[in-house]
Amino acid sequence: MTKPINLNRARKDRTRAARKVEADANSARFGRTKEEKAREASEASATRRRLDGHRRDGEGE
């Protein structure tokens, strides 16, 4: 004879596992260190300055 399962427990475990998968995906997508954010911001500003330096007079105004 098989052991009976608690359906409420099974539902909660399934929900918990799905939320864990979503949390791991969000952590990989949005979780960055302060140094990574600062480096990305400095690279973006350097790129913006480089592009502005190559701008001809009267363009982009």
Side-chain angles (χ1 to χ4, degrees), residues 26-55:
N26 285 339
S27 176
R29 189 176 329 149
F30 298 111
R32 297 178 303 182
T33 63
K34 186 182 285 190
E35 291 83 18
E36 289 172 332
K37 291 176 186 178
R39 186 185 69 232
E40 186 176 301
S42 69
E43 289 174 355
S45 72
T47 301
R48 194 175 316 109
R49 282 194 314 267
R50 189 176 331 111
L51 287 174
D52 288 343
H54 290 297
R55 190 174 297 229

